[in-house]
Amino acid sequence: VKSIRLLDYVPEGLPGPEHFDIVTEIFNFEESLVNLTPDSVIFRAQVFSADPYLRNRMKAGRHLDPLIPGEIIKGYTAGVVIASKNDKWQVGDYYGANLPLKTITILSGEALSKSLVWKLPSIINDLNISYGIGVLGMPGSTAYGGLIDVLRPLQGETIFISAAAGAVGGLVGMLAKSLLNCRVIGSCGGESKVNLVKEKFGFDHAINYKNIGSKEELIAALREVAPEGIDMYFDNVGGMHLEAALELLRVRGRIAICGQIVDYNSKEMANVPFSPWKMIYTQQRIEGFLCSDWLVGKKGNFHRDMPKFVIDGKVIVEETVFEGIESWPLGFQSLFTGGNTGKVVIRV
Ligand SMILES: NC(=O)c1ccc[n+]([C@@H]2O[C@H](COP(=O)([O-])OP(=O)(O)OC[C@H]3O[C@@H](n4cnc5c(N)ncnc54)[C@H](OP(=O)(O)O)[C@@H]3O)[C@@H](O)[C@H]2O)c1
């Protein structure tokens, strides 16, 4: 059994392999099977996720629920059931979960009832198990909830999305296009990402923000492709992008605050100035949200709808795959250097 630990808090800067270690323990399957108590299940992880939110949890005192150095990192994972004494789980069932990142996890019935573990739909197999940490997992629920229930798009409206070549941003744009025929504008870092977003994801326009030095330049670039302004902004990054979007936002415009990745490697989170009075007359709405409500099924119908969207080709899956648990730190780092397109997947 292998797992990932955080060695110490990382108050600022780019996280890297020096901040983590991989722990190896002996696991005897036959013995575990003999000792398996009623209602218990043995889960074998096939993929681990690396997600930006974990960066903030590596800062002591800066997060309500920080990671504990020396403990196994809890994160998103997906895999297959290899033994079960629980009526609800059969050997061969595929699952998605938020659990300590261990290749083998044994959960008692009670532990299972307190953990976030969900069954993946029948389209899942050993080859596409990574959907359980992507389109059918946490980032998928973020795109679904943030777009459909927070931004609530109307047919044909204009939406601007930052980190558009990433896991969440790409899905938001594809759903806005395929479900509501929105005019979709993305921002991302680099020409190859611009091409990906337009050619593969079907965005109408994409801006390479790395060629842009200031908020004013970003506003000008946006005005070129959206002279009448934008109806919605899906904010994955904060900073200059959020400031420009506020400037371009039309009457009854909406902004979903999903992430502020520009600040994740800094000690402090920056503030962005905005004008409350302007929001009154323009009847605009800015809403922060967490994906968990959709992932656990409190809101919307993510687990029913998203597999259908995948089958119907309303979204396509883009991934950057890292091989082996030892590559987890590099997969995680890629989120902050822009080394990934689509979902970062670590095959374990
Ligand atoms: N609210 C929620 O419940 C929730 C849930 C999931 C994710 N999120 C947030 O959603 C955002 C996207 O998450 P994800 O998992 O889909 O990650 P992702 O977009 O796949 O990867 C992160 C991307 O952010 C961009 N980036 C990194 N540093 C940046 C900077 N300084 N300025 C501008 N862009 C930068 C990079 O793309 P470029 O090459 O284009 O720069 C990178 O590829 C994150 O902010 C995350 O925290 C929120």
Side-chain angles (χ1 to χ4, degrees), residues 52 142 166-168 188-189 193 209 236 258-259 262 264 289-291 335 340:
T142 308
V168 173
C188 49
K193 288 195 177 186
Y209 76 88
N236 284 316
C258 176
V262 286
Y264 291 5
F289 73 100
L290 278 175
C291 61
L335 297 165
N340 69 308

Side-chain angles (χ1 to χ4, degrees), residues 51-53 138-139 142 163-169 187-189 193 209-210 236-237 241 257-262 264 289-292 334-340 342-343:
D51 295 292
Y53 76 93
M138 193 274 283
T142 308
V168 173
S187 165
C188 49
K193 288 195 177 186
Y209 76 88
K210 296 231 162 135
N236 284 316
V237 309
H241 281 84
I257 305 287
C258 176
Q260 302 282 294
I261 202 166
V262 286
Y264 291 5
F289 73 100
L290 278 175
C291 61
S292 36
S334 74
L335 297 165
F336 306 98
T337 58
N340 69 308
K343 180 75 196 100

Side-chain angles (χ1 to χ4, degrees), residues 141-157:
S141 70
T142 308
Y144 176 98
L147 179 72
I148 294 172
D149 291 326
V150 178
L151 290 178
R152 298 178 220 141
L154 303 175
Q155 283 285 338
E157 281 190 322

Side-chain angles (χ1 to χ4, degrees), residues 245-263:
L246 281 162
E247 194 69 33
L248 271 276
L249 199 65
R250 302 179 62 186
V251 170
R252 292 198 174 79
R254 290 86 70 200
I255 294 182
I257 305 287
C258 176
Q260 302 282 294
I261 202 166
V262 286
D263 290 326

